[in-house]
Amino acid sequence: MGHTDINIKELIKKQLLEQLTVEEEKLLEGEKMRYSEDEYELMVIEVLRGLGGELPKGILQDWQPDVDAIIEKAKALKAEKEKVVKVQKEEKIYWAVAVSALLFFGLATLLYFALRQEVTYVLPAGNNSLHFANDGDIPSEESSCMLLVGKSTWIKVYSDHVGRIKQVGDLLISRTKEGVLKIERRAGNYEAPTIANLEIHTEARQQCVLETEDGTRIRMNAQTWVHYPIQKRDTSYIDLIGEAYVVTSEKTFIIGTVKGKVTATASDFVIKAVKESTKIVLNNGKLDLYAYSLKKSKTMYCPGDLGVLMAGRSDKSSVPKDTLFQMENMDFEIAKMWTRKVRIYKNIPLRAFVEEMSRWEGFTIKRWDCVPRNKLVTASVHYRSDKQEVYSTIRDAGVLLYEERGMLSFCPEDKKNKIAMTGRRKYHE
């Protein structure tokens, strides 16, 4: 084959469709070396967009879940299992358990992506897609953030900043050449700080890799806040609002959220903490999710364990009650997709796609209840893509966006300010 874009794109297409021969795979690896990472990833995205519905189906295919039905069916299957254990043969018991496990697996995957007080669901991408998503995380060298080190003193930490940034009490904040924002405690006579917490904030299209004084690494997603206590404690502790991937040291580490706290030792996990809920997916180690209102916790110790603490529906006494539960077999790579340079979504609900993109791109949704529930999105989004690419993807799903005073809306009454997306251009009606 000659060295042309057409040939390498054809090889990429065959790899996505799982049709590569051994010889072609070697050829693709050789051709790949001729391009930069960004150039190659953009070609992958272009090929994926051209494939459309040709990608091999995942285990759940085009299933659109009815969560209430899933839960009721799972309960019925569990009850049926208890009955048939006594009377059925071993083979029939096996199939009952297998079906029940599949339903619970689907529910576990879906629950992590709950939006606000209503649950929104994401289906896992096919394994072939993850090959490209796993090509790499967003480089830590590009980390940037904002620091609040006083009542109104903001410090911008840029991606080219290396060295000392600020001394706050006995805390030294610096940035390494690898892009890690490092917090160290230095002995000495320092001026007593006038604030209780150092605040670290990422804006839209920013991620920040933070290393605490005990060696814990925290990758903060866009629009995430970390409150870091200045006064030394016996146990390392932060407060978190937003989304993060955490790798703790051998020492106990506590993350406080609005509804509870997470206690972990020698673990890595993804956490999403907002006003209405706290959700965790464990990759390795052991952790506890504690609910303040319920005064109880759930322990997770198996890879793929999912812990959820969220606002419950009001009971008969009209008193809101939080719910705390745990499930198994969550796909950790899907939960961690936001860390990747290329984010690949296959047949996920539009609501979940909009939530993930709104955090990264920084746009605000006027009313979440107007986002269509029956629309699915298959898309590949490079982390350097702009909003127009996201809008175009939404348009390709058969949905029009509306704009009003800087907010995006899917509500029909806002039609007079409609944004109809065609490619990278906007047309205002």
Side-chain angles (χ1 to χ4, degrees):
M1 289 188 182
H3 289 163
T4 67
D5 283 351
I6 295 176
N7 286 335
I8 192 170
K9 288 177 183 177
E10 184 64 26
L11 290 172
I12 292 171
K13 177 179 178 180
K14 294 182 73 173
Q15 184 179 51
L16 285 169
L17 295 174
E18 300 176 356
Q19 297 174 353
L20 271 184
T21 65
V22 175
E23 291 76 13
E24 288 173 329
E25 185 173 1
K26 292 180 180 178
L27 179 60
L28 177 58
E29 287 302 315
E31 289 290 293
K32 183 178 177 180
M33 299 296 292
R34 301 179 57 250
Y35 299 88
S36 69
E37 287 187 20
D38 286 346
E39 289 173 335
Y40 186 75
E41 287 163 358
L42 289 173
M43 284 194 291
V44 171
I45 292 173
E46 183 178 344
V47 173
L48 279 166
R49 286 177 178 153
L51 284 173
E54 294 183 49
L55 287 171
K57 300 291 185 182
I59 187 170
L60 299 181
Q61 300 197 27
D62 293 330
W63 176 52
Q64 299 184 46
D66 180 335
V67 173
D68 290 334
I70 290 173
I71 295 173
E72 291 303 317
K73 182 64 176 178
K75 290 179 178 178
L77 284 167
K78 183 178 179 181
E80 182 65 17
K81 173 191 169 184
E82 293 173 350
K83 293 178 182 179
V84 300
V85 163
K86 299 179 180 179
V87 296
Q88 296 288 331
K89 294 182 180 180
E90 184 177 350
E91 182 179 358
K92 292 185 178 180
I93 296 173
Y94 169 79
W95 285 111
V97 174
V99 173
S100 179
L102 178 59
L103 288 170
F104 276 110
F105 166 77
L107 184 59
T109 303
L110 304 175
L111 282 173
Y112 177 73
F113 294 90
L115 261 180
R116 306 181 72 81
Q117 290 188 9
E118 294 191 35
V119 181
T120 303
Y121 307 97
V122 170
L123 304 182
N127 290 334
N128 57 310
S129 298
L130 288 177
H131 168 78
F132 291 98
N134 282 327
D135 268 357
D137 288 339
I138 296 174
S140 60
E141 290 86 351
E142 298 184 20
S143 289
S144 57
C145 64
M146 299 275 288
L147 300 180
L148 181 60
V149 295
K151 293 182 178 179
S152 59
T153 304
W154 285 97
I155 299 176
K156 290 186 177 181
V157 181
Y158 296 101
S159 58
D160 59 352
H161 194 134
V162 176
R164 183 182 184 277
I165 296 174
K166 184 73 176 179
Q167 182 88 39
V168 184
D170 61 354
L171 287 181
L172 174 64
I173 304 118
S174 61
R175 188 176 184 278
T176 69
K177 63 181 181 180
E178 293 79 21
V180 177
L181 188 70
K182 195 167 185 176
I183 299 178
E184 301 172 279
R185 202 169 290 274
R186 297 287 181 89
N189 295 320
Y190 299 102
E191 183 180 348
T194 58
I195 54 174
N197 297 295
L198 168 68
E199 299 192 23
I200 305 160
H201 170 58
T202 52
E203 299 180 314
R205 300 179 69 85
Q206 284 186 336
Q207 288 188 8
C208 178
V209 179
L210 167 68
E211 183 176 303
T212 67
E213 58 192 279
D214 73 327
T216 292
R217 284 283 181 102
I218 303 168
R219 177 184 282 266
M220 301 166 58
N221 197 7
Q223 301 192 77
T224 295
W225 285 84
V226 164
H227 299 258
Y228 195 100
I230 293 175
Q231 184 176 356
K232 185 173 177 59
R233 300 188 180 199
D234 293 335
T235 302
S236 296
Y237 180 95
I238 64 166
D239 286 311
L240 172 76
I241 299 175
E243 191 167 23
Y245 169 53
V246 183
V247 182
T248 70
S249 69
E250 296 293 331
K251 300 178 181 179
T252 300
F253 191 82
I254 298 175
I255 300 177
T257 70
V258 174
K259 289 196 164 292
K261 65 179 180 179
V262 178
T263 303
T265 305
S267 305
D268 73 290
F269 55 92
V270 170
I271 177 171
K272 181 186 287 185
V274 293
K275 180 181 179 181
E276 300 85 3
S277 64
T278 299
K279 305 179 189 71
I280 312 165
V281 180
L282 178 67
N283 186 40
N284 286 298
K286 177 183 176 182
L287 56 81
D288 290 308
L289 174 59
Y290 178 82
Y292 293 141
S293 64
L294 302 175
K295 296 182 179 179
K296 65 179 183 180
S297 64
K298 292 284 186 182
T299 301
M300 279 139 276
Y301 49 84
C302 292
D305 276 358
L306 165 71
V308 179
L309 168 59
M310 60 192 307
R313 297 172 183 257
S314 300
D315 56 22
K316 293 181 180 179
S317 64
S318 299
V319 177
K321 184 178 181 181
D322 287 346
T323 57
L324 174 66
F325 58 93
Q326 174 184 350
M327 303 191 78
E328 301 174 352
N329 297 324
M330 177 67 191
D331 190 327
F332 183 77
E333 290 301 326
I334 297 297
K336 190 173 170 281
M337 182 65 72
W338 57 268
T339 68
R340 305 303 188 186
K341 290 185 290 186
V342 180
R343 304 162 187 184
I344 299 175
Y345 308 95
K346 186 174 185 296
N347 289 334
I348 69 168
L350 173 66
R351 285 170 61 90
F353 178 78
V354 170
E355 192 272 344
E356 189 129 327
M357 290 299 104
S358 66
R359 176 178 291 280
W360 179 248
E361 295 290 352
F363 53 76
T364 302
I365 305 303
K366 181 180 178 182
R367 283 178 52 191
W368 284 100
D369 59 329
C370 288
V371 180
R373 296 175 177 270
N374 61 343
K375 298 293 185 179
L376 299 178
V377 172
T378 294
S380 303
V381 181
H382 194 278
Y383 77 108
R384 289 180 178 172
S385 297
D386 56 22
K387 290 182 181 179
Q388 281 68 34
E389 292 286 346
V390 176
Y391 295 159
S392 180
T393 298
I394 295 172
R395 177 190 63 82
D396 290 342
V399 179
L400 289 178
L401 278 175
Y402 308 95
E403 184 179 38
E404 181 179 334
R405 297 178 183 177
M407 287 190 174
L408 297 183
S409 174
F410 296 82
C411 302
E413 59 266 27
D414 295 324
K415 186 174 182 179
K416 60 182 180 180
N417 297 315
K418 181 169 59 179
I419 304 174
M421 303 297 302
T422 304
R424 294 173 178 257
R425 301 175 61 189
K426 300 182 183 178
Y427 297 89
H428 293 266
E429 296 186 357

